[in-house]
mmCIF file of all heavy atoms in Angstrom:
data_model
loop_
_atom_site.group_PDB
_atom_site.id
_atom_site.type_symbol
_atom_site.label_atom_id
_atom_site.label_comp_id
_atom_site.label_asym_id
_atom_site.label_seq_id
_atom_site.Cartn_x
_atom_site.Cartn_y
_atom_site.Cartn_z
ATOM 1 N N MET A 1 99.943 52.864 -21.194
ATOM 2 C CA MET A 1 99.828 51.519 -20.660
ATOM 3 C C MET A 1 98.578 51.463 -19.770
ATOM 4 O O MET A 1 98.387 52.294 -18.896
ATOM 5 C CB MET A 1 101.077 51.173 -19.856
ATOM 6 C CG MET A 1 100.998 49.811 -19.207
ATOM 7 S SD MET A 1 102.444 49.404 -18.230
ATOM 8 C CE MET A 1 103.607 49.063 -19.498
ATOM 9 N N ASP A 2 97.738 50.496 -20.010
ATOM 10 C CA ASP A 2 96.502 50.335 -19.247
ATOM 11 C C ASP A 2 96.729 49.342 -18.111
ATOM 12 O O ASP A 2 97.141 48.213 -18.334
ATOM 13 C CB ASP A 2 95.394 49.833 -20.167
ATOM 14 C CG ASP A 2 94.055 49.775 -19.468
ATOM 15 O OD1 ASP A 2 93.929 50.362 -18.390
ATOM 16 O OD2 ASP A 2 93.145 49.138 -20.016
ATOM 17 N N HIS A 3 96.475 49.791 -16.899
ATOM 18 C CA HIS A 3 96.664 48.930 -15.725
ATOM 19 C C HIS A 3 95.366 48.312 -15.238
ATOM 20 O O HIS A 3 95.332 47.695 -14.186
ATOM 21 C CB HIS A 3 97.313 49.724 -14.586
ATOM 22 C CG HIS A 3 98.685 50.194 -14.925
ATOM 23 N ND1 HIS A 3 99.761 49.364 -14.970
ATOM 24 C CD2 HIS A 3 99.158 51.418 -15.259
ATOM 25 C CE1 HIS A 3 100.840 50.043 -15.305
ATOM 26 N NE2 HIS A 3 100.502 51.293 -15.501
ATOM 27 N N GLY A 4 94.292 48.496 -15.972
ATOM 28 C CA GLY A 4 93.031 47.866 -15.624
ATOM 29 C C GLY A 4 92.241 48.611 -14.562
ATOM 30 O O GLY A 4 91.289 48.078 -14.014
ATOM 31 N N GLY A 5 92.621 49.826 -14.252
ATOM 32 C CA GLY A 5 91.914 50.605 -13.242
ATOM 33 C C GLY A 5 90.677 51.253 -13.819
ATOM 34 O O GLY A 5 90.386 51.149 -15.016
ATOM 35 N N PRO A 6 89.906 51.933 -12.968
ATOM 36 C CA PRO A 6 88.696 52.608 -13.437
ATOM 37 C C PRO A 6 89.042 53.739 -14.420
ATOM 38 O O PRO A 6 90.055 54.414 -14.270
ATOM 39 C CB PRO A 6 88.056 53.152 -12.165
ATOM 40 C CG PRO A 6 89.061 53.036 -11.105
ATOM 41 C CD PRO A 6 90.102 52.076 -11.542
ATOM 42 N N LYS A 7 88.222 53.915 -15.422
ATOM 43 C CA LYS A 7 88.486 54.890 -16.477
ATOM 44 C C LYS A 7 87.930 56.277 -16.134
ATOM 45 O O LYS A 7 88.536 57.278 -16.433
ATOM 46 C CB LYS A 7 87.862 54.429 -17.781
ATOM 47 C CG LYS A 7 88.296 53.054 -18.210
ATOM 48 C CD LYS A 7 89.716 53.067 -18.691
ATOM 49 C CE LYS A 7 90.092 51.733 -19.246
ATOM 50 N NZ LYS A 7 91.198 51.103 -18.638
ATOM 51 N N GLN A 8 86.772 56.319 -15.543
ATOM 52 C CA GLN A 8 86.101 57.581 -15.272
ATOM 53 C C GLN A 8 86.486 58.132 -13.907
ATOM 54 O O GLN A 8 86.719 57.386 -12.958
ATOM 55 C CB GLN A 8 84.582 57.372 -15.291
ATOM 56 C CG GLN A 8 84.037 56.891 -16.604
ATOM 57 C CD GLN A 8 84.004 57.987 -17.638
ATOM 58 O OE1 GLN A 8 83.837 59.159 -17.299
ATOM 59 N NE2 GLN A 8 84.165 57.628 -18.889
ATOM 60 N N LYS A 9 86.534 59.457 -13.814
ATOM 61 C CA LYS A 9 86.840 60.091 -12.535
ATOM 62 C C LYS A 9 85.781 59.729 -11.493
ATOM 63 O O LYS A 9 86.109 59.479 -10.334
ATOM 64 C CB LYS A 9 86.914 61.609 -12.698
ATOM 65 C CG LYS A 9 87.299 62.331 -11.420
ATOM 66 C CD LYS A 9 87.398 63.815 -11.653
ATOM 67 C CE LYS A 9 87.871 64.597 -10.478
ATOM 68 N NZ LYS A 9 87.519 64.171 -9.176
ATOM 69 N N SER A 10 84.530 59.638 -11.921
ATOM 70 C CA SER A 10 83.463 59.292 -10.973
ATOM 71 C C SER A 10 83.657 57.884 -10.422
ATOM 72 O O SER A 10 83.370 57.626 -9.249
ATOM 73 C CB SER A 10 82.093 59.419 -11.636
ATOM 74 O OG SER A 10 82.002 58.544 -12.742
ATOM 75 N N ASP A 11 84.144 56.963 -11.265
ATOM 76 C CA ASP A 11 84.421 55.600 -10.796
ATOM 77 C C ASP A 11 85.542 55.600 -9.766
ATOM 78 O O ASP A 11 85.474 54.926 -8.750
ATOM 79 C CB ASP A 11 84.798 54.682 -11.960
ATOM 80 C CG ASP A 11 83.647 54.430 -12.912
ATOM 81 O OD1 ASP A 11 82.476 54.586 -12.481
ATOM 82 O OD2 ASP A 11 83.914 54.089 -14.072
ATOM 83 N N ARG A 12 86.601 56.362 -10.057
ATOM 84 C CA ARG A 12 87.724 56.448 -9.108
ATOM 85 C C ARG A 12 87.273 57.049 -7.787
ATOM 86 O O ARG A 12 87.653 56.581 -6.716
ATOM 87 C CB ARG A 12 88.855 57.282 -9.707
ATOM 88 C CG ARG A 12 89.563 56.610 -10.856
ATOM 89 C CD ARG A 12 90.830 57.331 -11.228
ATOM 90 N NE ARG A 12 90.663 58.742 -11.491
ATOM 91 C CZ ARG A 12 90.477 59.290 -12.695
ATOM 92 N NH1 ARG A 12 90.435 58.516 -13.749
ATOM 93 N NH2 ARG A 12 90.341 60.583 -12.831
ATOM 94 N N ASP A 13 86.449 58.098 -7.850
ATOM 95 C CA ASP A 13 85.949 58.737 -6.634
ATOM 96 C C ASP A 13 85.086 57.791 -5.817
ATOM 97 O O ASP A 13 85.179 57.757 -4.593
ATOM 98 C CB ASP A 13 85.152 59.998 -6.979
ATOM 99 C CG ASP A 13 86.029 61.115 -7.496
ATOM 100 O OD1 ASP A 13 87.270 61.054 -7.307
ATOM 101 O OD2 ASP A 13 85.488 62.058 -8.103
ATOM 102 N N ARG A 14 84.248 57.018 -6.500
ATOM 103 C CA ARG A 14 83.372 56.078 -5.800
ATOM 104 C C ARG A 14 84.200 55.002 -5.095
ATOM 105 O O ARG A 14 83.955 54.673 -3.937
ATOM 106 C CB ARG A 14 82.379 55.442 -6.779
ATOM 107 C CG ARG A 14 81.335 54.584 -6.088
ATOM 108 C CD ARG A 14 80.344 53.973 -7.069
ATOM 109 N NE ARG A 14 80.985 52.990 -7.924
ATOM 110 C CZ ARG A 14 81.223 53.162 -9.229
ATOM 111 N NH1 ARG A 14 80.856 54.256 -9.843
ATOM 112 N NH2 ARG A 14 81.827 52.225 -9.938
ATOM 113 N N ILE A 15 85.215 54.490 -5.781
ATOM 114 C CA ILE A 15 86.076 53.473 -5.181
ATOM 115 C C ILE A 15 86.843 54.062 -4.001
ATOM 116 O O ILE A 15 86.967 53.440 -2.951
ATOM 117 C CB ILE A 15 87.030 52.890 -6.243
ATOM 118 C CG1 ILE A 15 86.223 52.053 -7.238
ATOM 119 C CG2 ILE A 15 88.122 52.057 -5.606
ATOM 120 C CD1 ILE A 15 86.994 51.650 -8.461
ATOM 121 N N ARG A 16 87.363 55.277 -4.164
ATOM 122 C CA ARG A 16 88.104 55.940 -3.090
ATOM 123 C C ARG A 16 87.205 56.154 -1.866
ATOM 124 O O ARG A 16 87.625 55.948 -0.732
ATOM 125 C CB ARG A 16 88.656 57.272 -3.585
ATOM 126 C CG ARG A 16 89.575 57.946 -2.596
ATOM 127 C CD ARG A 16 90.164 59.235 -3.160
ATOM 128 N NE ARG A 16 90.975 58.955 -4.322
ATOM 129 C CZ ARG A 16 90.786 59.503 -5.541
ATOM 130 N NH1 ARG A 16 89.805 60.354 -5.734
ATOM 131 N NH2 ARG A 16 91.569 59.199 -6.539
ATOM 132 N N GLN A 17 85.954 56.554 -2.093
ATOM 133 C CA GLN A 17 85.020 56.773 -1.000
ATOM 134 C C GLN A 17 84.707 55.461 -0.278
ATOM 135 O O GLN A 17 84.677 55.403 0.950
ATOM 136 C CB GLN A 17 83.739 57.402 -1.524
ATOM 137 C CG GLN A 17 82.741 57.750 -0.444
ATOM 138 C CD GLN A 17 81.512 58.427 -1.032
ATOM 139 O OE1 GLN A 17 81.225 58.315 -2.218
ATOM 140 N NE2 GLN A 17 80.784 59.125 -0.197
ATOM 141 N N LYS A 18 84.510 54.395 -1.044
ATOM 142 C CA LYS A 18 84.214 53.087 -0.456
ATOM 143 C C LYS A 18 85.396 52.588 0.371
ATOM 144 O O LYS A 18 85.229 52.092 1.482
ATOM 145 C CB LYS A 18 83.897 52.103 -1.585
ATOM 146 C CG LYS A 18 83.469 50.743 -1.133
ATOM 147 C CD LYS A 18 83.132 49.879 -2.344
ATOM 148 C CE LYS A 18 82.817 48.467 -1.952
ATOM 149 N NZ LYS A 18 82.569 47.624 -3.116
ATOM 150 N N ARG A 19 86.601 52.736 -0.174
ATOM 151 C CA ARG A 19 87.796 52.299 0.539
ATOM 152 C C ARG A 19 88.018 53.134 1.796
ATOM 153 O O ARG A 19 88.415 52.620 2.834
ATOM 154 C CB ARG A 19 89.012 52.399 -0.369
ATOM 155 C CG ARG A 19 90.250 51.847 0.281
ATOM 156 C CD ARG A 19 91.279 51.539 -0.709
ATOM 157 N NE ARG A 19 90.714 50.663 -1.725
ATOM 158 C CZ ARG A 19 91.403 49.910 -2.534
ATOM 159 N NH1 ARG A 19 92.696 49.917 -2.463
ATOM 160 N NH2 ARG A 19 90.822 49.151 -3.419
ATOM 161 N N GLY A 20 87.743 54.439 1.724
ATOM 162 C CA GLY A 20 87.882 55.312 2.884
ATOM 163 C C GLY A 20 86.931 54.907 4.003
ATOM 164 O O GLY A 20 87.309 54.906 5.179
ATOM 165 N N ALA A 21 85.711 54.539 3.644
ATOM 166 C CA ALA A 21 84.738 54.094 4.646
ATOM 167 C C ALA A 21 85.190 52.790 5.296
ATOM 168 O O ALA A 21 85.065 52.605 6.513
ATOM 169 C CB ALA A 21 83.363 53.922 4.015
ATOM 170 N N ALA A 22 85.744 51.892 4.493
ATOM 171 C CA ALA A 22 86.232 50.619 5.034
ATOM 172 C C ALA A 22 87.406 50.852 5.973
ATOM 173 O O ALA A 22 87.486 50.253 7.055
ATOM 174 C CB ALA A 22 86.641 49.694 3.896
ATOM 175 N N ASN A 23 88.327 51.747 5.582
ATOM 176 C CA ASN A 23 89.478 52.043 6.437
ATOM 177 C C ASN A 23 89.038 52.695 7.744
ATOM 178 O O ASN A 23 89.616 52.435 8.801
ATOM 179 C CB ASN A 23 90.471 52.941 5.711
ATOM 180 C CG ASN A 23 91.215 52.209 4.625
ATOM 181 O OD1 ASN A 23 91.232 50.980 4.597
ATOM 182 N ND2 ASN A 23 91.818 52.949 3.721
ATOM 183 N N LYS A 24 88.015 53.521 7.678
ATOM 184 C CA LYS A 24 87.494 54.171 8.884
ATOM 185 C C LYS A 24 86.916 53.121 9.834
ATOM 186 O O LYS A 24 87.135 53.183 11.047
ATOM 187 C CB LYS A 24 86.423 55.184 8.482
ATOM 188 C CG LYS A 24 85.882 55.986 9.627
ATOM 189 C CD LYS A 24 84.890 57.022 9.121
ATOM 190 C CE LYS A 24 84.310 57.818 10.249
ATOM 191 N NZ LYS A 24 83.350 58.824 9.764
ATOM 192 N N GLU A 25 86.201 52.154 9.283
ATOM 193 C CA GLU A 25 85.624 51.078 10.098
ATOM 194 C C GLU A 25 86.724 50.234 10.749
ATOM 195 O O GLU A 25 86.645 49.876 11.929
ATOM 196 C CB GLU A 25 84.728 50.202 9.230
ATOM 197 C CG GLU A 25 83.989 49.139 9.996
ATOM 198 C CD GLU A 25 82.925 49.697 10.912
ATOM 199 O OE1 GLU A 25 82.392 50.774 10.636
ATOM 200 O OE2 GLU A 25 82.628 49.046 11.928
ATOM 201 N N ILE A 26 87.773 49.930 9.992
ATOM 202 C CA ILE A 26 88.894 49.152 10.533
ATOM 203 C C ILE A 26 89.579 49.923 11.655
ATOM 204 O O ILE A 26 89.896 49.363 12.703
ATOM 205 C CB ILE A 26 89.890 48.791 9.417
ATOM 206 C CG1 ILE A 26 89.255 47.781 8.459
ATOM 207 C CG2 ILE A 26 91.182 48.226 9.986
ATOM 208 C CD1 ILE A 26 90.040 47.577 7.184
ATOM 209 N N ALA A 27 89.800 51.213 11.454
ATOM 210 C CA ALA A 27 90.462 52.034 12.471
ATOM 211 C C ALA A 27 89.622 52.117 13.744
ATOM 212 O O ALA A 27 90.162 52.048 14.862
ATOM 213 C CB ALA A 27 90.730 53.432 11.931
ATOM 214 N N LYS A 28 88.306 52.237 13.585
ATOM 215 C CA LYS A 28 87.423 52.312 14.744
ATOM 216 C C LYS A 28 87.486 51.013 15.551
ATOM 217 O O LYS A 28 87.607 51.033 16.784
ATOM 218 C CB LYS A 28 85.978 52.568 14.281
ATOM 219 C CG LYS A 28 85.030 52.861 15.419
ATOM 220 C CD LYS A 28 83.560 52.924 15.021
ATOM 221 C CE LYS A 28 83.251 53.653 13.761
ATOM 222 N NZ LYS A 28 81.788 53.705 13.503
ATOM 223 N N LEU A 29 87.444 49.885 14.853
ATOM 224 C CA LEU A 29 87.518 48.591 15.529
ATOM 225 C C LEU A 29 88.883 48.406 16.186
ATOM 226 O O LEU A 29 88.966 47.899 17.311
ATOM 227 C CB LEU A 29 87.249 47.450 14.563
ATOM 228 C CG LEU A 29 87.339 46.063 15.185
ATOM 229 C CD1 LEU A 29 86.237 45.860 16.225
ATOM 230 C CD2 LEU A 29 87.273 44.990 14.135
ATOM 231 N N ALA A 30 89.932 48.817 15.512
ATOM 232 C CA ALA A 30 91.280 48.672 16.068
ATOM 233 C C ALA A 30 91.402 49.454 17.379
ATOM 234 O O ALA A 30 91.986 48.954 18.353
ATOM 235 C CB ALA A 30 92.324 49.143 15.069
ATOM 236 N N ARG A 31 90.853 50.644 17.432
ATOM 237 C CA ARG A 31 90.893 51.427 18.683
ATOM 238 C C ARG A 31 90.129 50.710 19.797
ATOM 239 O O ARG A 31 90.576 50.659 20.944
ATOM 240 C CB ARG A 31 90.312 52.826 18.449
ATOM 241 C CG ARG A 31 91.238 53.740 17.691
ATOM 242 C CD ARG A 31 90.753 55.184 17.714
ATOM 243 N NE ARG A 31 89.469 55.356 17.059
ATOM 244 C CZ ARG A 31 89.309 55.589 15.765
ATOM 245 N NH1 ARG A 31 90.350 55.676 14.969
ATOM 246 N NH2 ARG A 31 88.109 55.750 15.260
ATOM 247 N N ARG A 32 88.970 50.148 19.445
ATOM 248 C CA ARG A 32 88.195 49.411 20.455
ATOM 249 C C ARG A 32 88.946 48.185 20.956
ATOM 250 O O ARG A 32 88.909 47.862 22.149
ATOM 251 C CB ARG A 32 86.857 48.961 19.870
ATOM 252 C CG ARG A 32 85.792 50.010 19.957
ATOM 253 C CD ARG A 32 84.436 49.400 19.647
ATOM 254 N NE ARG A 32 83.859 50.168 18.559
ATOM 255 C CZ ARG A 32 83.221 49.662 17.522
ATOM 256 N NH1 ARG A 32 83.055 48.377 17.409
ATOM 257 N NH2 ARG A 32 82.743 50.439 16.592
ATOM 258 N N LEU A 33 89.627 47.476 20.039
ATOM 259 C CA LEU A 33 90.351 46.271 20.417
ATOM 260 C C LEU A 33 91.563 46.596 21.282
ATOM 261 O O LEU A 33 91.872 45.852 22.209
ATOM 262 C CB LEU A 33 90.767 45.488 19.175
ATOM 263 C CG LEU A 33 89.616 44.856 18.402
ATOM 264 C CD1 LEU A 33 90.121 44.202 17.135
ATOM 265 C CD2 LEU A 33 88.862 43.853 19.253
ATOM 266 N N VAL A 34 92.245 47.692 20.998
ATOM 267 C CA VAL A 34 93.378 48.094 21.837
ATOM 268 C C VAL A 34 92.887 48.398 23.247
ATOM 269 O O VAL A 34 93.511 47.992 24.234
ATOM 270 C CB VAL A 34 94.111 49.307 21.223
ATOM 271 C CG1 VAL A 34 95.089 49.915 22.210
ATOM 272 C CG2 VAL A 34 94.836 48.879 19.954
ATOM 273 N N LYS A 35 91.761 49.068 23.353
ATOM 274 C CA LYS A 35 91.193 49.342 24.666
ATOM 275 C C LYS A 35 90.805 48.036 25.365
ATOM 276 O O LYS A 35 91.056 47.855 26.553
ATOM 277 C CB LYS A 35 89.969 50.249 24.542
ATOM 278 C CG LYS A 35 89.375 50.651 25.886
ATOM 279 C CD LYS A 35 88.209 51.585 25.705
ATOM 280 C CE LYS A 35 87.615 52.078 26.981
ATOM 281 N NZ LYS A 35 87.550 51.187 28.083
ATOM 282 N N ALA A 36 90.194 47.121 24.620
ATOM 283 C CA ALA A 36 89.794 45.836 25.194
ATOM 284 C C ALA A 36 91.014 45.054 25.676
ATOM 285 O O ALA A 36 90.974 44.417 26.735
ATOM 286 C CB ALA A 36 89.006 45.024 24.176
ATOM 287 N N LEU A 37 92.087 45.079 24.892
ATOM 288 C CA LEU A 37 93.316 44.392 25.318
ATOM 289 C C LEU A 37 93.850 44.996 26.608
ATOM 290 O O LEU A 37 94.310 44.272 27.488
ATOM 291 C CB LEU A 37 94.383 44.477 24.219
ATOM 292 C CG LEU A 37 94.181 43.558 23.037
ATOM 293 C CD1 LEU A 37 95.168 43.905 21.933
ATOM 294 C CD2 LEU A 37 94.331 42.111 23.446
ATOM 295 N N GLY A 38 93.776 46.294 26.718
ATOM 296 C CA GLY A 38 94.206 46.962 27.951
ATOM 297 C C GLY A 38 93.346 46.578 29.134
ATOM 298 O O GLY A 38 93.817 46.564 30.278
ATOM 299 N N ASP A 39 92.092 46.269 28.863
ATOM 300 C CA ASP A 39 91.167 45.875 29.933
ATOM 301 C C ASP A 39 91.231 44.380 30.231
ATOM 302 O O ASP A 39 90.486 43.890 31.078
ATOM 303 C CB ASP A 39 89.732 46.254 29.552
ATOM 304 C CG ASP A 39 89.527 47.768 29.526
ATOM 305 O OD1 ASP A 39 90.352 48.482 30.121
ATOM 306 O OD2 ASP A 39 88.550 48.219 28.901
ATOM 307 N N GLY A 40 92.095 43.639 29.502
ATOM 308 C CA GLY A 40 92.292 42.231 29.810
ATOM 309 C C GLY A 40 91.603 41.247 28.880
ATOM 310 O O GLY A 40 91.459 40.070 29.222
ATOM 311 N N ALA A 41 91.196 41.681 27.694
ATOM 312 C CA ALA A 41 90.549 40.770 26.746
ATOM 313 C C ALA A 41 91.571 39.783 26.183
ATOM 314 O O ALA A 41 92.772 40.022 26.207
ATOM 315 C CB ALA A 41 89.917 41.556 25.614
ATOM 316 N N ASP A 42 91.060 38.675 25.665
ATOM 317 C CA ASP A 42 91.917 37.649 25.083
ATOM 318 C C ASP A 42 92.487 38.141 23.748
ATOM 319 O O ASP A 42 91.720 38.499 22.846
ATOM 320 C CB ASP A 42 91.101 36.371 24.865
ATOM 321 C CG ASP A 42 91.927 35.237 24.303
ATOM 322 O OD1 ASP A 42 93.133 35.168 24.625
ATOM 323 O OD2 ASP A 42 91.363 34.418 23.543
ATOM 324 N N PRO A 43 93.808 38.171 23.597
ATOM 325 C CA PRO A 43 94.406 38.661 22.345
ATOM 326 C C PRO A 43 93.986 37.857 21.108
ATOM 327 O O PRO A 43 93.811 38.434 20.034
ATOM 328 C CB PRO A 43 95.907 38.525 22.582
ATOM 329 C CG PRO A 43 96.071 38.507 24.054
ATOM 330 C CD PRO A 43 94.813 37.879 24.599
ATOM 331 N N ALA A 44 93.815 36.564 21.253
ATOM 332 C CA ALA A 44 93.417 35.746 20.103
ATOM 333 C C ALA A 44 92.027 36.149 19.602
ATOM 334 O O ALA A 44 91.797 36.229 18.387
ATOM 335 C CB ALA A 44 93.439 34.276 20.476
ATOM 336 N N ASP A 45 91.105 36.407 20.517
ATOM 337 C CA ASP A 45 89.762 36.834 20.123
ATOM 338 C C ASP A 45 89.804 38.190 19.422
ATOM 339 O O ASP A 45 89.094 38.425 18.438
ATOM 340 C CB ASP A 45 88.841 36.919 21.340
ATOM 341 C CG ASP A 45 88.507 35.554 21.916
ATOM 342 O OD1 ASP A 45 88.684 34.544 21.203
ATOM 343 O OD2 ASP A 45 88.073 35.505 23.091
ATOM 344 N N CYS A 46 90.635 39.076 19.929
ATOM 345 C CA CYS A 46 90.755 40.408 19.331
ATOM 346 C C CYS A 46 91.318 40.320 17.918
ATOM 347 O O CYS A 46 90.840 40.990 17.002
ATOM 348 C CB CYS A 46 91.636 41.306 20.194
ATOM 349 S SG CYS A 46 90.882 41.740 21.773
ATOM 350 N N MET A 47 92.331 39.500 17.722
ATOM 351 C CA MET A 47 92.921 39.362 16.396
ATOM 352 C C MET A 47 91.942 38.702 15.426
ATOM 353 O O MET A 47 91.883 39.067 14.248
ATOM 354 C CB MET A 47 94.217 38.549 16.463
ATOM 355 C CG MET A 47 95.352 39.299 17.120
ATOM 356 S SD MET A 47 95.665 40.923 16.384
ATOM 357 C CE MET A 47 96.193 40.454 14.762
ATOM 358 N N THR A 48 91.149 37.758 15.914
ATOM 359 C CA THR A 48 90.139 37.119 15.075
ATOM 360 C C THR A 48 89.113 38.147 14.607
ATOM 361 O O THR A 48 88.734 38.176 13.433
ATOM 362 C CB THR A 48 89.451 35.978 15.839
ATOM 363 O OG1 THR A 48 90.441 35.042 16.252
ATOM 364 C CG2 THR A 48 88.415 35.282 14.983
ATOM 365 N N ALA A 49 88.655 38.991 15.521
ATOM 366 C CA ALA A 49 87.672 40.017 15.179
ATOM 367 C C ALA A 49 88.248 41.009 14.169
ATOM 368 O O ALA A 49 87.585 41.389 13.195
ATOM 369 C CB ALA A 49 87.220 40.749 16.436
ATOM 370 N N LEU A 50 89.487 41.410 14.378
ATOM 371 C CA LEU A 50 90.122 42.368 13.473
ATOM 372 C C LEU A 50 90.327 41.762 12.086
ATOM 373 O O LEU A 50 90.044 42.399 11.076
ATOM 374 C CB LEU A 50 91.461 42.840 14.046
ATOM 375 C CG LEU A 50 92.182 43.911 13.258
ATOM 376 C CD1 LEU A 50 91.327 45.156 13.139
ATOM 377 C CD2 LEU A 50 93.508 44.241 13.907
ATOM 378 N N SER A 51 90.768 40.528 12.030
ATOM 379 C CA SER A 51 90.994 39.901 10.725
ATOM 380 C C SER A 51 89.679 39.715 9.966
ATOM 381 O O SER A 51 89.641 39.838 8.744
ATOM 382 C CB SER A 51 91.730 38.572 10.865
ATOM 383 O OG SER A 51 90.930 37.621 11.506
ATOM 384 N N ALA A 52 88.594 39.453 10.673
ATOM 385 C CA ALA A 52 87.289 39.313 10.017
ATOM 386 C C ALA A 52 86.856 40.624 9.375
ATOM 387 O O ALA A 52 86.354 40.630 8.250
ATOM 388 C CB ALA A 52 86.247 38.836 11.023
ATOM 389 N N VAL A 53 87.079 41.732 10.069
ATOM 390 C CA VAL A 53 86.691 43.031 9.518
ATOM 391 C C VAL A 53 87.568 43.401 8.331
ATOM 392 O O VAL A 53 87.088 43.933 7.324
ATOM 393 C CB VAL A 53 86.734 44.125 10.618
ATOM 394 C CG1 VAL A 53 86.575 45.500 10.022
ATOM 395 C CG2 VAL A 53 85.671 43.860 11.649
ATOM 396 N N VAL A 54 88.859 43.110 8.415
ATOM 397 C CA VAL A 54 89.758 43.415 7.305
ATOM 398 C C VAL A 54 89.389 42.585 6.076
ATOM 399 O O VAL A 54 89.364 43.104 4.958
ATOM 400 C CB VAL A 54 91.230 43.192 7.724
ATOM 401 C CG1 VAL A 54 92.153 43.272 6.527
ATOM 402 C CG2 VAL A 54 91.640 44.201 8.780
ATOM 403 N N LYS A 55 89.075 41.311 6.259
ATOM 404 C CA LYS A 55 88.673 40.472 5.124
ATOM 405 C C LYS A 55 87.386 40.969 4.506
ATOM 406 O O LYS A 55 87.221 40.980 3.291
ATOM 407 C CB LYS A 55 88.514 39.014 5.577
ATOM 408 C CG LYS A 55 89.816 38.316 5.805
ATOM 409 C CD LYS A 55 89.595 36.899 6.267
ATOM 410 C CE LYS A 55 90.914 36.227 6.607
ATOM 411 N NZ LYS A 55 90.716 34.871 7.130
ATOM 412 N N LYS A 56 86.447 41.411 5.357
ATOM 413 C CA LYS A 56 85.182 41.941 4.856
ATOM 414 C C LYS A 56 85.425 43.213 4.038
ATOM 415 O O LYS A 56 84.803 43.417 3.005
ATOM 416 C CB LYS A 56 84.259 42.226 6.027
ATOM 417 C CG LYS A 56 82.926 42.818 5.655
ATOM 418 C CD LYS A 56 82.097 43.124 6.877
ATOM 419 C CE LYS A 56 81.160 44.249 6.601
ATOM 420 N NZ LYS A 56 80.679 44.890 7.792
ATOM 421 N N ALA A 57 86.348 44.041 4.504
ATOM 422 C CA ALA A 57 86.647 45.287 3.805
ATOM 423 C C ALA A 57 87.312 45.031 2.463
ATOM 424 O O ALA A 57 87.112 45.775 1.506
ATOM 425 C CB ALA A 57 87.529 46.178 4.669
ATOM 426 N N ASP A 58 88.115 43.975 2.363
ATOM 427 C CA ASP A 58 88.804 43.657 1.115
ATOM 428 C C ASP A 58 87.871 43.034 0.087
ATOM 429 O O ASP A 58 88.172 43.056 -1.101
ATOM 430 C CB ASP A 58 89.969 42.690 1.371
ATOM 431 C CG ASP A 58 91.134 43.393 2.024
ATOM 432 O OD1 ASP A 58 91.195 44.638 1.979
ATOM 433 O OD2 ASP A 58 92.000 42.698 2.596
ATOM 434 N N ALA A 59 86.756 42.491 0.532
ATOM 435 C CA ALA A 59 85.830 41.822 -0.384
ATOM 436 C C ALA A 59 85.026 42.805 -1.205
ATOM 437 O O ALA A 59 84.978 43.933 -1.042
ATOM 438 C CB ALA A 59 84.880 40.922 0.389
#
């Protein structure tokens, strides 16, 4: 059964590497935002920034 995924191992590796980099960027921003919230930043601004990065990573 074909699920429409990448056929070549190199394609899968490239996608995995790209997704790993995006997840690393999201995690880095999330740590910064948690620190900012602890320092008194506006939660709405923090969530807006986080959602923008997640949407960018999904694109």
